Amino acid sequence: MPKCGSVVGRDSEIREVTDTLVSTGASARTLLLVGGAGTGKTAVLEQARRTVVGQGARVLRLRCHDGAAAPGAAALADGVHQVLTTVHDRWSPARTGAVRRTRLRNSGRGGELTLLSTLGEVIGDAARHLPFALLIDDVERMPSPTASALGLLLRVFRPVGVPMVLAGRPAHPGDEGVRQLTVAADRLLELPPLRPADVEALVVRRLGRPVEPALVTAVLRALGPMAGTPEAVLSVLDSMAERGDFLELDGHVCLTEPEHALRLTTDVARLSRLCRPAGPPGAAALDAAAAVARNLEHAEIRLDDLHRLKPGGPRRAGLVDRTLTPLVADGILTVDEDRRIAFAVPALAAALRALPTRHAVSSLHALITRSLTDRLGAETAGGGCPRLADHVAAAGAELDDALAVDVLLAAARTDARSDWSRSVRAYSSALRRLPPHDHRTPGVLRESAELSLRHADHPGALALGEPLFACLAAPSAEQDREGPGYTAAVPDREGLEHVAGVWALAALHEHRLPPCDVDADAGPRGRAAVECVPAVAGFGALVGPYGLGPVTPRPGTEAPRGPATAGPRPGSGPLPSAAELRLLAGAAGSRAGLPDVLPPGADGVRTLDRLRNATAYADLAGALTCVLGDRYPGAGNSTAGLYHAMVRAYLQGDWDRALASARRIEARSRTRGIAAGPAQAARALAADIHCARGELGYARAWLELVPGTVAHPLVAWARLGVRYWSGQVEEAMEEALDEVRRARRSGLLSGIEKVLVRYLSFALLEAVPQAMERALDELEALDEEVGSPMTREAVLLGRGVVRRDVDSALAALRAVRRRGDAYLELLCHLGLAEIGDDSERWLAEATRGAQALGIGRATRTSLGHMKRRRTLVLPRVRPARDELSEKDIELTTMVSRGATNRQIAARLVWSEKTVERRLTRLFQRTGCRSRVELAAAWLDGSLARRDLVPDGARRAAGGSFPAPGPGTPSSRR
C-alpha cells in the first residue's frame, strides 16, 4: 500500500482503518477509532476513505445525530434510511419501505428491538447486492439513547458483511452510550500523540519551507502535554503567522518571538474545541480563566495563599470553588504536591492572557502580600517567604514603595543562593522603586550585578543599565540644584564603576556597543557619567576587534609597551582587569607591546596563540575564556555564546550546525523582549559557507546585512569570496587589497591572513603569478608583525603554492590539523594537489573534504581547473557515513518511480534547487552518474548489498532487496 502523504504521523492508523473498510464477508469487522480533541480522527478517516474509494470500494457515511428524530432507535433508523437511499438497485424501495413500516408499527415501548433487527437485516441485504462500508464520525456527539441503540445493533443485530469504522473521543465517566460502543467494537484503536519528528514534519508542511529546530522545540515546550496534538500545533502556528512572528533565512523559517509568548489562537470557538471538550465556556467562565492566567503570569500562587485571604477580598468560595475548581476538573490547571497552581499548557495560558478580563489582577497579588506582611512584618515576611517578591512586583502601585522595597530586598538576599534567577528579579523590582539618590541604591546595584555575573546572566546584568545611569547622574543633578559652589559626594563610586563594568561586559555578550549603547532615558548626564567610567571605555575598545561595529580607538586603550602592567588586580573575580582588557583589544594587532599578564613560558605562549585564534574569528567568548581561564563565568545563553558555538562548528566542518547557529543569532537579534544586537561576524561566516557551497543568493543576502562601515578582516574575507564567485574578478581582488589596508590602518591584523590566502588562491586560479608573489610578501610581513599560529600556517601554505615547496605545504597541513580547521585543511589539500608528486592522493582528499562540507561550485571549479592542468581523473569516493538517511531513501524511491524534480519538491516540501542539490549529493554517495543508474541500483538491490540502505528501510520495503551474500559486510556482522 502506498505511504499516506496527506496526514503526518498516522500511516499505521490509516492502514488499519483502510484494512477494516475493505474487509468483506465473514471477515468484516468493526473498528472504533478513539482520540482526544484535535488529534486528527477525522483526517485519518477521510484519508482512509479516499484510499479505499481510489481502489474501487464504496464507503458511505452514517449520520444518526444530526436529524430531528427523537434520540434512540428512531434516530438510528433515520440515518440508515439516508444510507439506503444512496444504494440504488431494484430492491432499494423494498428496503426503505420495510424500515418505514417497522418504525411505524413498533413506535411504542418494547418495539426498539424489532426495529434494530430490521435495520440489521436491510443493511446486510443491501451490502450483499452492492458491497459498501460504513463510517460514523463524532460518536461522542450522539445522545446517549442513540449511542446505546447503535451499540445494541452492533452486538446483537450486526449486519452481515458490512465493515464499520466509528470515531470519537474517549468515553467519560457516566457516558454509558459511548461505553457500550467501546464494548461492541471488535477493535479499539487509540490515536497516540505525534512524535517530535512528526511534529516537525507537520510544521514544515504547514509553513511550506524547512524550519529551524529551535522553532519546533519552542512549539513543543509551549504546548506541554498537548505537544503531540496536531490541531494544537497548527493553532500555535496560525497564531504566530497572524502576528508576523516568522523570519525566513536561507530558506528556513525562524522564530522571532520569545518562547514564553507562544500561544494558541485566541479564537474562542477553536480554544473551546481544543481545551473544553464538554462545550464552550460561558462568558463569565472565560473571563475568570483569563484573570487566572494573568495572575499566574508573574508570580507563583498556592492554594494556601488564597485560603489566607481576609474577608473583603476574593473569598475562597468565590475564587476557588467557582473559578479554580472547574479549571482543575477540566485538566486546564494543575495543582502539584506543594499546592502550586499552574497551567498545564503554557500556550493556552498565553492565549487566555491575550483575552480581555474585567477582574483586577494586581489587587490579588497585593492581598496575598499583605496577608503575610500584616502578621509578620515586611522584612520577616520577605526573608521567610522569598517567593513573595514576585507578588510584590505584580502588585505594582497597589503597594507603597517603602513596604515593597523592604520585602523585595529581604527576599532577594534570602533567595540569592537557592533561586538566583528569582533573586535577580527581586533586585530589579526593588531598583524600579528606589530613587537614584537613596543610600541603598548603590549597594543593591552591586549585589544584583555580582549575582548576574556569577551565573552568567548577561540579560539580567544588561537590565541594570537604566538605574545605573540614573545613579551615576544623580550627583550632577544635585549639584545643579544646590548651585555652582556645591560639591556632591558620589556614593560608593568604586562600587558603581564595578557595576558599570559588569553592565558593559553584558552588553558585549549580547553584541551591543558600550558605551554608545546607553539608554535614551538616562539623558545626556547619564551618558556622560557612564562614558567617564574607565572600565566602560576599556570594554568599548573591544567593539572593533570583535566585529561588533566600527573601530573607534580611544585614548589610553592602546597596549602598553614593556612591563607596564603586572597582571590582573587582586580580587578582580570574573570581571577582566584593565590590563586584561588591553590584552583582549591588543590581541587583534601586532605582537609588540602586549600586556605581560600571561603565564610565563610555554603556557603563556599557548594561551596567547589560543587568544589570537579566537580574535581572528571575532569570538569574544573564546577570547575571554583564554584570558580569564577558570575565572570566566561563561557566556551563558548570550549571543556571544551562540556565536562561540557557531565558530566551533565551523572549524570542525559541521557547517549545517554552524548555519543553524547563524540563523538563531539573527532571529534573536530581531526578537521582541531580548536585547541582542547584530552579530556581523556571524553574518560573514554564514555568507562564506553559502558562497563555498555555491549558494550565492543566500551569501549575498547575508552580506547585505553587514553595514559598509564594518571593516573587520572576517567581513573582508567573505566579501572577497562572494564577489569573486559572482564574476566580479578584478573588482574583488582590488577591493580585497583596499579592505586589507583599511584593517591595517585600524589596527586589526588578526584575520588578515585569511583574506590574503584567499587572494592568493584566486590569483592561482586566474594564473596571475605577480599577484601570488605580492600576496606571499604581504603574508610574510604580516607574520613578522603578528606571529600567530594562523599567520604561520598561511605563510607555509603560501610558500608551498607560490614556490612549489612541498615540505612547507605539508608543514602547513600538519599545523592546520592540530589546530582544527576543516576548510583550511581542504585548501592545503588543494595546494598539495597542485604542487605535489602524489597529486591524485591529495585530490582525492580534497574531494572527500569538499563532500563532507557540502561544498558546491567553488571547489568543483578549483578541482576542475586542476584536473585540466594535470590531466587527472577525479575519484569517486563515499563519505565516512555510509547509510542513507530517511529523506535520501524517500528521494531515491521517488526517482525510481519516475517522479520529476517538480513532483519531488511538491511531495517533500523542498525547493527544486534543493532537490537538485540533494540528488547531486546522492549521486556522489552512491557512485551513480544519472537518475537511471540510481533507480537501477535501488531496484536491483545494489544499494542494499553495499549496506547503504538501513535495515529498517529493507523491512519497510517488504523484503524486496536481495539478501546480503557471504562476502558482504552485513553477513560478517
Side-chain angles (χ1 to χ4, degrees), residues 409 444 545:
L409 294 183
V444 175

Side-chain angles (χ1 to χ4, degrees), residues 891 894-895 898-916 919 931:
L891 177 60
M894 296 190 71
V895 168
T900 64
N901 282 4
R902 179 172 296 179
Q903 292 170 331
I904 294 173
R907 170 66 180 82
L908 300 180
V909 199
W910 291 346
S911 67
E912 292 189 46
K913 184 176 181 181
T914 300
V915 174
E916 293 177 2
L919 275 175
R931 299 166 70 100

Side-chain angles (χ1 to χ4, degrees), residues 601-617:
D603 289 342
V605 172
R606 281 194 295 269
T607 299
L608 183 58
D609 286 347
R610 290 170 53 221
L611 175 60
R612 292 283 201 180
N613 293 340
T615 308
Y617 284 97

Side-chain angles (χ1 to χ4, degrees), residues 207 211-220 222 236-237 239-241 243-249 252-263 663-672 674:
L207 299 180
V211 299
E212 274 302 305
L215 190 154
V216 180
T217 302
V219 171
L220 292 174
V236 172
L237 295 178
S239 176
M240 287 191 286
R243 294 182 292 162
D245 296 336
F246 293 130
L247 170 69
E248 185 171 350
L249 294 167
H252 290 70
V253 180
C254 308
L255 176 66
T256 60
E257 181 75 9
E259 185 176 308
H260 63 82
L262 298 189
R263 70 189 192 199
R663 290 190 288 267
R664 186 178 175 192
I665 291 170
E666 189 65 29
R668 180 187 177 102
S669 70
R670 308 184 193 190
T671 298
R672 296 187 292 274
I674 295 180

Side-chain angles (χ1 to χ4, degrees), residues 789-801:
M790 295 185 69
T791 58
R792 286 191 288 271
E793 295 163 5
V795 168
L796 289 172
L797 179 59
R799 288 173 180 169
V801 174

